[in-house]
Amino acid sequence: MTKSLSGKLAVVTGASRGIGRAIAEQLLAQGAEVVGTSTKAGGDFPKGCRHEAVRLDDPASVASFCRTVETLAPHILVNNAGVANPQTFEAIDDAEFRRVHEINLMAPMAICRAALPGMKRHGWGRIVNISSIWGPMSRVARSTYASSKAALDGMSGCLAAEAAPHGVLVNCVAPGFTETEMIKTIFPPDKRAALAKSVPMKRLAQPEEIAKAVVWLAGVQNGYVTGQNILVDGGLSRVRET
Amino acid sequence: MTDQSLAGKLAVVTGGTRSIGRAVVERLLARGASVIGTGTKPDGDVPNGCRYAQLQLENPQSVESLCRVIESEQPHILVNNAGTSSFATIEDIDLVDVERIHEMHVIAPLRLCQAAIPGMKRHRWGRIVNITAISGIWGRPTRVNYGSAKAALDGLTANLAAEMGAHGILANCVAPGFIDTDVLKRNYTEAQRKAMAESVPVKRLGTAADIANMVVFLAGPENGYVTAQNIVVDGGFGRVR
């Protein structure tokens, strides 16, 4: 059986762990060639995944990676890498605010811009940017992160409008609480149990579950979904249980 | 290797004889599910291997008789797809037609969900997908009746999802944009359909397959954590001006 992504090249940022690693694995399983990135060289990438070291908080590193992306001309781009660093509004540090936006917004923008000409040439492209539920919904101490992720969604909606006539579909996936290292650094175990209880499905997401939605949007089965921010959150954002 | 990821699962799809519903039935069958598809006539043309049941959504007795089938067969998957459109300006809307449209798009799907949920709870696994419409999200002239029914179906689904999350039952909607179906061909001239396609960012009308692929994703085991959503499949039409 021919795999549905045979002959397609995908770029996935932050592919050495968590959601990005699961995305790379599933793209590889569907026959795509995958180039993953991580901050340091030689991270723990899935078998068969090519990789590049890119520091998204360093514009020179991003610019150099963008030249690689221009040459690679991938069919699929997943901007997955990101940082969260909760700080209350009054405690916002300007430099940290800029750094988070550099990683979560500026770098994805630059990489999308580098990937678009190739996708237009192919007459086919799929971009999936990982946004966050902290955009459609909110929580204390999320202003820096939420602002970067809401901006990423706004950018993706507009890019979708410009790219659509060229066969390029652009969407976001907004994960809810997912069992990744990121959530472990933010919440201690007892807090994570309380988080799980607050979700209608009474559990956190596994990275693979977020990846399934991303890979669906990135594949040939998606012909008509564009400009959307798809929430994969176990019902959290839409349901209030008390 | 064929995809048998739905082997052992039973699905009920309302409106399984044509366009979106038929495409959903075909994909569910291709993945190994058993499927009951409905149509309005006593005998209907459903894809090979699909069982047929008659369902007239505007007729509560007919809905109840399908509820009995659902209660005894206990499907794992329910797709409320059947429906009809009705266009009139607010000043011209006939209340009888409001009742008919809401009976078909809200009351009947609610009853079918109610009939299916006990079985899904016993399976500790269920997937409900209700077909809404972009008219339930973005207002357009003459869509008051239809849009309000579809918005109600979305609200019904989100609230049902809130109750079902702990039971392994995920409930979502799919909101199609302009889809090139028989209904569209009946309601619009070719020139109008061409203009509609041009108004969509991807510059084409959607196909039944475009919608069915998303429905089947949400209805299958690869969906583990999407619930209470209304997923728009519209080529970017609603979000882009």
Side-chain angles (χ1 to χ4, degrees):
Chain A
M1 193 182 80
T2 317
K3 293 179 175 172
S4 64
L5 294 178
S6 300
K8 298 269 194 290
L9 175 67
V11 167
V12 181
T13 66
S16 66
R17 55 192 174 140
I19 295 169
R21 193 178 195 283
I23 293 166
E25 263 174 0
Q26 291 176 22
L27 291 170
L28 287 163
Q30 293 200 23
E33 195 180 341
V34 182
V35 178
T37 79
S38 67
T39 326
K40 296 181 202 107
D44 176 30
F45 291 92
K47 196 163 168 273
C49 185
R50 290 161 57 188
H51 45 86
E52 299 268 339
V54 187
R55 290 198 54 93
L56 296 183
D57 60 350
D58 171 4
S61 174
V62 171
S64 139
F65 181 62
C66 284
R67 284 190 293 276
T68 305
V69 169
E70 283 163 15
T71 311
L72 289 171
H75 304 81
I76 295 167
L77 168 63
V78 181
N79 279 299
N80 159 75
V83 284
N85 189 1
Q87 44 187 357
T88 59
F89 198 84
E90 288 164 293
I92 291 174
D93 173 69
D94 287 11
E96 179 60 8
F97 190 89
R98 282 204 179 86
R99 187 183 78 92
V100 169
H101 282 71
E102 199 69 54
I103 295 170
N104 291 357
L105 179 62
M106 291 293 289
M109 180 279 290
I111 299 168
C112 286
R113 195 173 53 193
L116 193 57
M119 292 180 180
K120 281 181 164 180
R121 277 199 305 279
H122 303 316
W124 194 96
R126 299 286 183 269
I127 294 174
V128 184
N129 294 326
I130 304 301
S131 58
S132 169
I133 47 167
W134 310 122
M137 63 188 285
S138 211
R139 186 183 182 94
V140 295
R142 292 302 187 287
S143 42
T144 300
Y145 183 69
S147 134
S148 71
K149 291 298 194 178
L152 183 63
D153 174 41
M155 183 198 87
S156 303
C158 185
L159 174 57
E162 296 184 20
H166 304 281
V168 179
L169 306 182
V170 185
N171 294 286
C172 288
V173 167
F177 300 129
T178 309
E179 287 215 52
T180 60
E181 285 173 43
M182 185 191 271
I183 209 162
K184 286 174 194 161
T185 62
I186 299 173
F187 297 103
D190 58 320
K191 270 275 176 72
R192 291 204 298 279
L195 282 182
K197 274 181 91 174
S198 74
V199 180
M201 289 186 65
K202 306 299 171 201
R203 62 175 179 85
L204 305 182
Q206 293 302 310
E208 293 72 23
E209 293 178 311
I210 310 301
K212 292 272 189 188
V214 172
V215 169
W216 191 91
L217 289 167
V220 289
Q221 60 275 38
N222 177 18
Y224 211 59
V225 181
T226 196
Q228 302 301 311
N229 186 20
I230 308 275
L231 287 91
V232 185
D233 70 350
L236 180 72
S237 61
R238 186 121 193 236
V239 169
R240 303 289 179 278
E241 293 200 324
T242 47
Chain B
M1 192 188 75
T2 54
D3 180 355
Q4 287 295 303
S5 58
L6 294 177
K9 299 265 195 293
L10 173 67
V12 170
V13 179
T14 68
T17 60
R18 56 197 170 110
S19 106
I20 294 171
R22 190 179 182 94
V24 170
V25 170
E26 283 167 353
R27 278 160 182 72
L28 293 171
L29 288 169
R31 296 177 62 178
S34 306
V35 184
I36 300 173
T38 78
T40 52
K41 301 188 183 106
D43 294 298
D45 168 40
V46 284
N48 259 345
C50 177
R51 287 162 59 193
Y52 182 80
Q54 185 180 20
L55 171 67
Q56 293 173 324
L57 285 174
E58 70 279 24
N59 173 356
Q61 276 180 331
S62 169
V63 172
E64 290 311 311
S65 96
L66 186 65
C67 284
R68 296 295 91 73
V69 174
I70 287 174
E71 282 158 5
S72 77
E73 305 257 348
Q74 303 184 18
H76 305 79
I77 296 167
L78 171 64
V79 180
N80 279 301
N81 159 75
T84 190
S85 52
S86 174
F87 304 150
T89 61
I90 181 76
E91 289 147 303
D92 291 336
I93 292 173
D94 173 7
L95 263 191
V96 173
D97 200 45
V98 172
E99 280 175 22
R100 183 179 72 97
I101 290 294
H102 285 69
E103 191 75 48
M104 294 174 82
H105 294 275
V106 188
I107 313 287
L110 169 75
R111 283 296 298 128
L112 299 178
C113 289
Q114 277 186 314
I117 280 167
M120 291 180 179
K121 277 186 167 175
R122 276 195 290 276
H123 304 316
R124 299 207 54 77
W125 195 97
R127 299 285 184 272
I128 295 172
V129 184
N130 295 328
I131 305 299
T132 54
I134 53 170
S135 306
I137 306 171
W138 295 285
R140 294 170 62 217
T142 75
R143 301 299 197 282
V144 170
N145 187 6
Y146 183 69
S148 106
K150 290 302 196 179
L153 181 58
D154 174 38
L156 180 164
T157 308
N159 285 281
L160 177 158
E163 296 180 20
M164 290 302 120
H167 300 280
I169 302 169
L170 307 182
N172 294 285
C173 293
V174 170
F178 302 137
I179 309 302
D180 205 7
T181 60
D182 300 343
V183 176
L184 201 83
K185 284 180 184 124
R186 210 168 46 234
N187 288 330
Y188 298 95
T189 65
E190 190 174 342
Q192 285 174 318
R193 292 204 308 278
K194 221 169 162 188
M196 284 170 105
E198 274 305 302
S199 73
V200 180
V202 300
K203 304 294 174 204
R204 66 171 177 88
L205 299 175
T207 63
D210 288 327
I211 307 304
N213 286 347
M214 174 59 86
V215 171
V216 171
F217 169 80
L218 292 169
E222 53 279 276
N223 176 20
Y225 211 63
V226 180
T227 194
Q229 301 301 311
N230 187 13
I231 309 264
V232 176
V233 182
D234 71 346
F237 177 77
R239 187 154 183 198
V240 171
R241 298 290 179 280

